[in-house]
């Protein structure tokens, strides 16, 4: 295995010059840098990350803070992680996934005080997210995947929920649907201030009102049972519903099961659109789900790129960007057909 001395000998420079090229602690001419990098490539030299970190006072480790429950990560959440991990690796960093939520800021304070992470990307952001304050007080650079209530001074990348919901509703209205119900996350999630749940709630109301239609939203527990209960509640409030828009992957298969149990066909009787969904999840259903496909991989990549830019040049590099989900039409949406209204007991 090649050593730093081998690189220095081949490049005809001192060992300290090789170290300066690796750590960036002193300015090196571009010509000398190119000689050292060429020698490293020829020898397939792999620098010791720990030694390099000690010299530069940087760990080359980034944290992705993503609260998780016993369900773990689904395909849609995994896309955020893989996008972030690939970008971190390309920039010469390691990415560590940590399930730190807002429930216990003490855990995050301890993590931040250990100075193990050069910077952090926060996921599952609430409108009033205490994690942001803890990290700012500790001086840890951060980028959000999501937005707080006032994110004007923060770097973030997020889904454009207004455009995403507007396009989903327009798709259903364009097919002729007028009775559309939105199945959101749980009431507890809404009460906690979870940004996507609140922003889609408001965007759905605005989109439906813009079409002269009555917005009906149902909060659903994040489970198949929650989806079945939500659909029963939807029929109780809108017996003539012909379309369901859902942003709750854990509940979506319960919604489909409840429709089947009521003798209703998708999409002939009820159309279904799954929002902020990965193609892998959409293809699991029969028929495959029309979906507003999550740009999860791109969001993860952009967040890491924004963070590493800040670490390399700590000036004012706020990055603020919204990406909409993309409508992918599959087999779960069609024009509505007339049927008898269904009550809650059917």
């Amino acid at each position: 295995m090649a050593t730093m001395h081998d690189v220095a000998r081949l490049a005809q420079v001192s060992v300290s010059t090789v170290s300066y090229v690796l750590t960036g602690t002193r300015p090196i001419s571009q010509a000398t840098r190119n000689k050292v990098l060429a020698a490293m490539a020829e020898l397939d030299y792999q620098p010791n990350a720990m030694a390099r970190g000690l010299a530069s006072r940087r760990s080359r480790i980034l944290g992705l803070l993503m609260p998780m429950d016993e369900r773990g990560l689904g395909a849609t959440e995994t896309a955020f992680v893989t996008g972030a991990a690939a970008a971190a690796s390309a920039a010469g960093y390691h990415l560590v996934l940590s399930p730190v939520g807002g429930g216990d800021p003490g855990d995050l304070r301890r993590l931040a005080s250990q100075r193990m992470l050069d910077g952090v990307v926060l996921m599952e952001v609430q409108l009033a997210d205490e994690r942001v304050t803890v990290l700012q007080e500790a001086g840890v650079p951060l980028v959000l995947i999501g937005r707080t209530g006032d994110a004007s001074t923060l770097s973030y990348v997020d889904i454009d929920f207004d455009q995403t919901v507007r396009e989903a509703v327009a798709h259903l209205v364009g097919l002729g649907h007028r009775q559309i119900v939105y199945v959101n996350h749980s009431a507890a999630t809404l009460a906690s201030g979870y940004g996507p749940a609140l922003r889609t709630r408001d965007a759905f109301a605005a989109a439906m009102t813009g079409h002269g239609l009555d917005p009906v939203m149902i909060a659903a527990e994040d489970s198949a049972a929650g989806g079945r209960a939500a659909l029963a509640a939807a029929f109780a409030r809108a017996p003539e519903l012909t379309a369901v828009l859902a942003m709750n992957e854990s509940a979506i298969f319960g919604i489909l099961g409840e429709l089947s149990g009521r003798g209703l066909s998708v999409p002939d009787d009820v159309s279904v659109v799954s929002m902020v969904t990965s193609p892998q999840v959409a293809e699991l259903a029969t028929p495959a789900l029309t979906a507003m496909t999550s740009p999860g991989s791109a969001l993860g990549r952009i967040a890491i790129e924004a963070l590493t830019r800040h670490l390399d040049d700590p000036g004012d590099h706020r990055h603020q960007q919204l990406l909409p989900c993309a409508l992918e039409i599959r087999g779960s949406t069609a024009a509505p057909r007339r049927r008898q209204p269904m009550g809650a007991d059917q």
Side-chain angles (χ1 to χ4, degrees):
M1 182 179 294
T3 68
M4 194 179 294
H5 287 83
D6 297 326
V7 173
R9 189 178 304 111
L10 182 60
Q12 296 182 324
V13 299
S14 67
V15 173
S16 60
T17 297
V18 176
S19 176
Y20 297 150
V21 170
L22 290 172
T23 63
T25 52
R26 288 192 183 181
I28 299 293
S29 72
Q30 190 60 49
T32 300
R33 181 183 299 276
N34 289 342
K35 284 172 56 179
V36 171
L37 294 176
M40 290 172 57
E42 183 175 337
L43 295 171
D44 193 24
Y45 172 67
Q46 302 296 322
N48 184 297
M50 181 173 291
R52 203 170 87 189
L54 289 171
S56 64
R57 297 187 179 181
R58 286 164 65 171
S59 67
R60 309 297 296 185
I61 299 174
L62 305 177
L64 180 63
L65 306 191
M66 182 178 184
M68 288 184 286
D69 57 23
E70 64 278 358
R71 293 181 292 110
L73 295 180
T76 301
E77 295 94 344
T78 299
F80 288 88
V81 178
T82 55
S89 178
Y93 288 84
H94 297 286
L95 185 70
V96 174
L97 178 62
S98 179
V100 177
D104 186 3
D107 281 348
L108 184 54
R109 286 193 182 94
R110 285 188 289 273
L111 179 63
S113 68
Q114 293 169 358
R115 300 293 176 183
M116 295 174 57
L117 304 176
D118 287 342
V120 162
V121 171
L122 287 184
M123 289 190 62
E124 302 294 292
V125 177
Q126 298 177 342
L127 296 188
D129 201 310
E130 192 172 2
R131 295 176 299 169
V132 173
T133 303
V134 169
L135 291 167
Q136 287 178 325
E137 290 176 348
V140 178
L142 73 152
V143 174
L144 312 184
I145 298 180
R147 286 166 285 162
T148 55
D150 178 8
S152 58
T153 63
L154 299 170
S155 287
Y156 65 78
V157 60
D158 196 8
I159 291 172
D160 187 334
F161 290 106
D162 288 340
Q163 181 177 338
T164 295
V165 174
R166 188 165 59 246
E167 290 182 0
V169 170
H171 169 63
L172 292 170
V173 171
L175 290 171
H177 295 277
R178 296 296 179 267
Q179 294 283 328
I180 305 169
V181 171
Y182 174 42
V183 177
N184 203 334
H185 286 286
S186 69
T189 300
L190 286 159
S192 74
Y194 180 51
L198 294 171
R199 289 192 169 96
T200 54
R201 177 198 65 187
D202 297 342
F204 178 71
M208 291 289 284
T209 301
H211 289 285
L213 303 174
D214 181 30
V216 177
M217 189 202 79
I218 304 293
E221 295 298 324
D222 294 351
S223 64
R228 289 191 290 270
L231 191 70
F235 275 120
R237 290 181 56 184
E240 297 184 355
L241 78 87
T242 62
V244 174
L245 172 64
M247 188 183 69
N248 189 325
E249 282 189 351
S250 299
I252 191 71
F253 291 97
I255 292 170
L256 296 173
E258 182 69 13
L259 287 170
S260 177
R262 289 168 177 256
L264 297 175
S265 171
V266 176
D268 294 334
D269 296 308
V270 177
S271 287
V272 177
V273 175
S274 186
M275 196 162 60
V276 192
T277 298
S278 67
Q280 294 91 330
V281 172
E283 296 287 351
L284 287 174
T286 303
L289 293 170
T290 293
M292 302 302 297
T293 299
S294 168
S297 181
L299 291 173
R301 172 182 56 79
I302 294 168
I304 291 293
E305 290 173 347
L307 181 58
T308 55
R309 279 197 305 272
H310 174 73
L311 292 172
D312 291 338
D313 181 5
D316 185 10
H317 292 289
R318 274 179 296 176
H319 183 98
Q320 299 180 343
Q321 184 176 1
L322 299 179
L323 297 179
C325 294
L327 174 63
E328 295 193 33
I329 300 172
R330 298 185 178 87
S332 67
T333 52
R337 69 179 186 185
R338 294 183 61 85
R339 58 175 170 78
Q340 291 297 316
M342 299 198 71
D345 58 343
Q346 289 184 273

